[in-house]
């Protein structure tokens, strides 16, 4: 018998009828003898609705009070699920984050979990109850309600699974797993049976938004196996996200991620001397702008060109900063482009295979796609290309690396 933490997202508990379906699923697993801890999101749309209510009062509502407000959505669903379980004769108890001591720091709206005391949950499990916990919320040292950032129920589930040493943390959502790429772009994208934490972090941060990234970081840190499953299907096995398995035959490439929200800025003719890169990026960071790729070319005539990418929403702000610094540094010119995208190949298997980069570049070239920037890490190669080539590029790479018909990983 196992201890399983299951998390159901907003669409899975979006109506009373769906909550009843969740109850049936949970009761069935309980009947098989498993210890069940359930973490729920608010009904889909509810958190947004609550935020809107506050915003009709003031543009910048008080952060502490927003957490009091936003945390109510989850309190509704945990109570309804427990009522549904009890009505089926399955003993259950619901708890808010504070009641099961999900202790966080005091950063309202984006608090981090620092500790969980699992005693209360364990004692209920020992008495044969299903324990239903509100996702997304915790409590700080002073007893204030906190929330963990949008999508934070995933992190609640993983943190509980780590604290209780659960056998598996299952995330039920509206997709049936993690795919080799976005099926809306590549119709024959394939569901992965298995992916490593590292790969999932690369896929998630690059735009494959299945799980809150922090929940994957947490799972990786505490080695909690995570499984993504569809709550609308009965027999799927979803995608297991777990530590790298040395014995397993590993596909070279696991997936292709992409990001449409990119923009790039280049400062041309910057004097090549110590401190210049810091002078350029310092004010950008001070303005709260995140920089992704950074490239500086080899200086030939004692000047160099400096390029970086930023989120498209920050493009205007960043280019103004770049222009001001260029004047200060006596650089020649600032140019930029906000019609670019980033495409990345991700796979732990590429560590041991040479030639992945050249195959990637050749594939893009054969489609007439010009590569504007390149960056690599141990398990990822990213290129920046013109926005209009996104679909073509991703499809060509998906084909070239045989992702549609890989044998099960
Ligand atoms: N209800 C919260 C949100 O919408 C938390 C969650 O669903 O994970 O962000
Ligand atoms: Mg979610």
């Amino acid at each position: 018998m196992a201890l399983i933490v299951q998390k159901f997202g907003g669409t899975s508990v979006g109506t009373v009828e769906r909550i009843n379906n969740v109850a049936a699923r949970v009761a069935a697993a309980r009947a098989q003898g498993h210890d069940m801890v359930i973490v729920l999101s608010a009904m889909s749309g509810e958190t947004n609705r609550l935020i809107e209510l506050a915003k009709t009062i003031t543009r910048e509502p008080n952060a502490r009070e927003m957490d009091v407000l936003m945390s109510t959505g989850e309190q509704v669903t945990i109570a309804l699920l427990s009522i549904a379980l009890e009505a089926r004769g399955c003993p259950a108890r619901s708890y808010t984050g504070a009641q099961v001591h999900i202790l966080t720091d005091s950063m309202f709206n984006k608090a981090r979990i620092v500790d969980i005391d699992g005693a209360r949950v364990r004692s209920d499990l020992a008495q044969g109850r299903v324990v239903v916990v509100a996702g997304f919320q915790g409590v700080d040292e002073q007893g204030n309600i906190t929330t963990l950032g949008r999508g934070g129920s995933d992190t609640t589930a993983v943190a509980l699974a780590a604290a209780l040493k659960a056998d598996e943390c299952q995330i039920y959502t509206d997709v049936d797993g993690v795919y080799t790429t976005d099926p809306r772009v590549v119709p024959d994208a394939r569901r992965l049976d298995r992916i490593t934490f590292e790969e999932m972090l690369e896929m998630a941060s690059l735009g494959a938004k299945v799980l809150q990234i922090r929940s994957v970081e947490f799972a990786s840190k505490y080695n909690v196996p995570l499984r993504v499953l569809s709550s609308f299907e009965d027999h799927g096995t979803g995608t297991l996200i777990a530590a790298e398995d040395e014995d397993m035959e590993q596909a070279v490439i696991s997936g292709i991620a992409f990001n449409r929200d990119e923009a790039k800025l280049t400062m041309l003719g910057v004097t090549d001397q110590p401190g210049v890169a810091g002078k350029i990026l310092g004010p950008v960071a001070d303005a709260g702008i995140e920089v992704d790729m950074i490239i500086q070319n080899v200086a030939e005539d004692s000047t160099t060109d400096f390029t970086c990418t930023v989120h498209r929403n920050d493009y205007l702000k960043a280019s103004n900063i770049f222009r001001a610094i260029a004047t200060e540094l006596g650089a020649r010119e600032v140019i930029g482009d906000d019609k670019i995208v980033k495409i990345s190949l991700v796979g732990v298997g590429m560590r041991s295979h040479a030639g992945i980069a050249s195959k990637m570049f050749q594939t893009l070239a054969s489609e007439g796609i010009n590569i504007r920037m390149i960056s690599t890490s141990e398990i990822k190669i990213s290129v920046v290309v013109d926005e209009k080539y996104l679909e073509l590029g991703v499809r060509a790479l998906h084909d070239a690396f045989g992702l549609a018909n890989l044998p099960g990983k």
Side-chain angles (χ1 to χ4, degrees):
M1 295 308 107
L3 169 52
I4 300 171
V5 175
Q6 292 186 335
K7 180 256 169 179
F8 293 87
T11 22
S12 315
V13 294
T15 63
V16 168
E17 192 196 340
R18 287 185 178 172
I19 289 177
N20 260 319
N21 294 341
V22 171
R25 195 184 272 272
V26 172
R30 177 74 203 109
Q32 285 169 17
H34 298 306
D35 281 335
M36 302 298 294
V37 176
I38 312 303
V39 174
L40 298 184
S41 288
M43 289 181 167
S44 53
E46 177 64 4
T47 311
N48 288 342
R49 187 186 73 86
L50 295 166
I51 294 170
E52 285 313 311
L53 283 178
K55 294 233 157 128
T56 56
I57 301 173
T58 167
R59 279 233 314 269
E60 280 186 46
N62 178 280
R64 178 190 183 279
E65 301 312 324
M66 280 311 286
D67 280 355
V68 176
L69 177 65
M70 286 190 290
S71 62
T72 61
E74 275 73 11
Q75 197 167 329
V76 171
T77 50
I78 56 168
L80 289 173
L81 180 65
S82 300
I83 290 168
L85 285 165
E86 289 277 342
R88 297 177 165 263
C90 176
R93 269 207 187 153
S94 66
Y95 292 110
T96 63
Q99 285 176 307
V100 286
H101 308 292
I102 298 182
L103 184 68
T104 71
D105 61 21
S106 303
M107 293 289 285
F108 296 115
N109 308 346
K110 46 176 186 293
R112 285 182 174 264
I113 297 176
V114 290
D115 193 33
I116 294 184
D117 171 9
R120 189 158 193 176
V121 175
R122 277 193 209 96
S123 115
D124 273 315
L125 291 174
Q127 291 169 62
R129 298 191 183 105
V130 170
V131 179
V132 186
V133 178
F136 177 53
Q137 55 177 265
V139 64
D140 72 2
E141 292 272 11
Q142 287 76 43
N144 297 302
I145 297 174
T146 55
T147 66
L148 309 178
R150 300 305 306 273
S153 301
D154 294 339
T155 301
T156 306
V158 174
L160 266 171
L164 298 167
K165 303 203 166 40
D167 295 284
E168 197 167 282
C169 180
Q170 303 175 342
I171 307 283
Y172 284 88
T173 175
D174 40 12
V175 295
D176 65 350
V178 180
Y179 277 68
T180 48
T181 193
D182 187 339
R184 282 169 301 190
V185 172
V186 182
D188 60 358
R190 193 178 55 87
R191 182 179 56 76
L192 294 159
D193 291 334
R194 196 187 162 103
I195 185 172
T196 68
F197 291 126
E198 277 178 288
E199 289 168 325
M200 187 61 202
L201 285 170
E202 295 290 4
M203 298 281 279
S205 64
L206 295 165
K209 296 187 180 70
V210 186
L211 286 168
Q212 198 196 34
I213 295 180
R214 261 172 59 199
S215 73
V216 183
E217 288 166 358
F218 216 103
S220 167
K221 185 162 168 202
Y222 294 98
N223 200 10
V224 178
L226 256 180
R227 192 181 289 279
V228 177
L229 294 147
S230 162
S231 47
F232 304 114
E233 261 176 31
D234 271 336
H235 302 293
T237 50
T239 300
L240 178 68
I241 306 163
E244 198 171 340
D245 184 341
E246 306 292 341
D247 299 336
M248 194 119 57
E249 185 64 49
Q250 190 71 54
V252 179
I253 303 299
S254 291
I256 302 173
F258 53 83
N259 189 348
R260 298 177 196 269
D261 304 320
E262 301 268 324
K264 75 183 173 86
L265 278 164
T266 302
M267 198 177 296
L268 295 167
V270 192
T271 317
D272 185 33
Q273 63 187 37
V276 166
K279 275 197 190 122
I280 297 176
L281 288 184
V284 175
D286 291 345
I289 298 173
E290 266 183 53
V291 169
D292 180 17
M293 289 190 197
I294 300 171
I295 289 175
Q296 186 193 286
N297 67 353
V298 179
E300 280 200 344
D301 54 353
S302 75
T303 72
T304 175
D305 302 335
F306 184 96
T307 304
C308 69
T309 60
V310 295
H311 192 284
R312 224 174 259 189
N313 293 344
D314 291 327
Y315 179 63
L316 265 182
K317 206 162 132 198
S319 33
N320 288 336
I321 297 174
F322 254 58
R323 284 207 183 85
I325 307 166
T327 313
E328 205 178 295
L329 296 177
R332 195 168 73 240
E333 196 187 350
V334 171
I335 54 172
D337 190 347
D338 65 348
K339 301 253 174 325
I340 56 160
V341 292
K342 181 168 77 173
I343 302 177
S344 307
L345 286 185
V346 177
V348 292
M350 74 170 78
R351 277 201 291 244
S352 50
H353 287 258
I356 302 296
S358 58
K359 182 167 173 181
M360 180 184 198
F361 305 155
Q362 279 159 15
T363 304
L364 295 171
S366 67
E367 298 292 339
I369 300 174
N370 192 25
I371 301 171
R372 314 276 297 268
M373 290 171 82
I374 299 169
S375 88
T376 64
S377 77
E378 225 192 349
I379 66 161
K380 178 183 80 172
I381 307 172
S382 304
V383 296
V384 165
V385 300
D386 288 349
E387 182 179 72
K388 62 177 189 253
Y389 292 129
L390 174 75
E391 279 80 8
L392 179 62
V394 173
R395 279 179 207 141
L397 292 168
H398 200 268
D399 269 355
F401 285 92
L403 293 181
N405 36 34
L406 276 179
K409 281 181 68 181

